[in-house]
Amino acid sequence: MSKSHQRRLIGYARVSTDEQATEAQEIELRAVGCDTIVREHGSGASRARPALTKLLREIAAGDTLVVVRLDRLVRSVSHLLDVIEDLSAKGAHFRSLRDPIDTSTPQGMFSLQVLGAVAQLERALISERTKAGIAAAREKGKLPGNPGMRDRRPDALAKTAAARQAAYGTSVQATMNDWLPTVRRMRPDHPWDDIVRVLNQKGARWTEARLRRAVRWLVREHLADASLLKKSPPRLPEDRLMTLVAGIAASNPEHSVRDIAVQLERLHERTPRGGSKWSPSSVKNLLDRAQRVGLLVRESSATA
């Protein structure tokens, strides 16, 4: 087995503010064999963790994510279970040095199952308490919910809108590393519908409206360049096909020309001659054109 495929212990060290340091956590993580350590500065209450998101996306089967304590990784059982589910899907494991959780051992998995049962019970109890509270309030002639919202008070409406916007921003930042590179590569030269199709090839569920809203938010927060929102130049039908094929190839360099042909048929794209069946040679012609105009570098081109 080559070194690049050996099982790794990957440490994750997090502190809440830039003024705090991760050195103490790193000492413990290196002591158990973590050669790679991912550092993050951010609130534990927020799930918007770019470094953790990247780590979970790139971790390989057999690797183990290691933390000093659970609170360095998550602040809720539900978040912990979500992280471990992501790791399990990759064939990776999780270990906390100060807690009895190591998903590579039967004892650790038992502890995890106990936590899952506790989380399920907690959700059920919260639901029951909420229903009981609403019923008691109605018996007293009170309506559930925020009185300010029911009365449409401007201050209450503004507070709710701000909270929703903050939650939306958190969700955009948590996923931006998955889709923003493709947007940056294709905008503004390519229309939004082509970008949506390329992104959805990876299993996403974008619409033009949702994607443009997300990009507008990033631009407004100075996390993306305003040029992404410029109007795309008009393109001939064959030019649009060329950019679409180039985008699919760049999004997954492992795709062969046959794979791309299948994807185009699934998207109900017509060939340059108006047919419904794509041949590998038609795809290759478009890829060659994309290379000649500099839209696709040779290393990212698909193979037969």
Side-chain angles (χ1 to χ4, degrees):
M1 179 179 290
S2 65
K3 185 175 181 180
S4 61
H5 289 83
Q6 290 178 351
R7 296 180 178 182
R8 301 173 298 165
L9 296 179
I10 304 174
Y12 176 77
R14 182 190 62 80
V15 290
S16 299
T17 66
D18 291 336
E19 289 74 23
Q20 296 175 312
T22 60
E23 280 81 1
Q25 296 176 56
E26 291 182 40
I27 291 173
E28 291 192 52
L29 293 170
R30 293 194 188 282
V32 298
C34 294
D35 294 327
T36 301
I37 295 180
V38 176
R39 304 166 186 83
E40 185 129 62
H41 290 76
S43 170
S46 173
R47 293 199 181 190
R49 312 260 194 87
L52 179 59
T53 300
K54 185 173 185 293
L55 189 161
L56 293 175
R57 185 173 64 247
E58 296 179 352
I59 197 167
D63 291 346
T64 299
L65 170 60
V66 184
V67 297
V68 173
R69 300 189 309 272
L70 283 179
D71 65 356
R72 295 302 86 198
L73 180 70
V74 296
R75 286 293 181 87
S76 68
V77 175
S78 62
H79 190 190
L80 173 63
L81 296 177
D82 288 344
V83 169
I84 293 179
E85 183 179 353
D86 290 342
L87 291 171
S88 298
K90 292 287 191 70
H93 305 291
F94 171 74
R95 177 183 174 191
S96 175
L97 301 182
R98 306 278 187 88
D99 306 281
I101 297 180
D102 183 344
T103 61
S104 65
T105 68
Q107 295 85 353
M109 286 302 298
F110 175 76
S111 297
L112 182 61
Q113 290 168 359
V114 171
L115 284 176
V118 170
Q120 186 175 4
L121 176 60
E122 182 182 21
R123 287 192 296 268
L125 290 175
I126 291 174
S127 177
E128 289 300 321
R129 287 196 295 266
T130 301
K131 292 177 182 177
I134 292 174
R138 283 176 174 166
E139 288 180 0
K140 296 178 180 179
K142 298 180 180 179
L143 295 175
N146 188 324
M149 291 295 294
R150 289 199 304 270
D151 297 339
R152 310 294 293 176
R153 292 205 308 264
D155 59 334
L157 293 174
K159 186 175 181 180
T160 300
R164 288 175 177 171
Q165 186 67 11
Y168 175 75
T170 297
S171 67
V172 170
Q173 290 186 77
T175 62
M176 61 186 287
N177 291 334
D178 296 330
W179 51 268
L180 186 57
T182 298
V183 174
R184 283 174 170 158
R185 185 174 63 249
M186 298 184 69
R187 287 293 302 167
D189 295 330
H190 315 300
W192 290 101
D193 60 338
D194 282 353
I195 301 174
V196 166
R197 293 188 181 202
V198 170
L199 290 174
N200 288 350
Q201 293 295 316
K202 303 178 183 179
R205 296 182 179 179
W206 286 104
T207 64
E208 288 186 52
R210 287 181 55 237
L211 182 59
R212 294 178 73 168
R213 181 191 176 196
V215 173
R216 281 197 299 269
W217 187 89
L218 291 174
V219 170
R220 189 165 58 248
E221 297 296 319
H222 306 290
L223 297 174
D225 194 275
S227 64
L228 300 180
L229 298 174
K230 288 182 179 180
K231 186 176 181 180
S232 299
R235 290 187 174 274
L236 297 174
E238 192 164 344
D239 287 339
R240 193 189 71 80
L241 286 175
M242 176 186 68
T243 59
L244 178 58
V245 168
I248 294 173
S251 68
N252 189 344
E254 299 300 321
H255 273 330
S256 68
V257 290
R258 294 182 184 277
D259 294 331
I260 297 175
V262 171
Q263 295 295 338
L264 291 169
E265 290 176 5
R266 289 176 179 172
L267 294 172
H268 304 291
E269 285 289 344
R270 292 284 178 176
T271 68
R273 295 185 178 183
S276 59
K277 293 295 183 181
W278 281 84
S279 66
S281 60
S282 295
V283 174
K284 188 175 184 306
N285 287 337
L286 291 172
L287 288 173
D288 289 343
R289 284 190 55 207
Q291 288 179 353
R292 287 196 297 270
V293 300
L295 185 61
L296 186 67
V297 295
R298 185 169 299 276
E299 289 77 9
S300 298
S301 63
T303 61

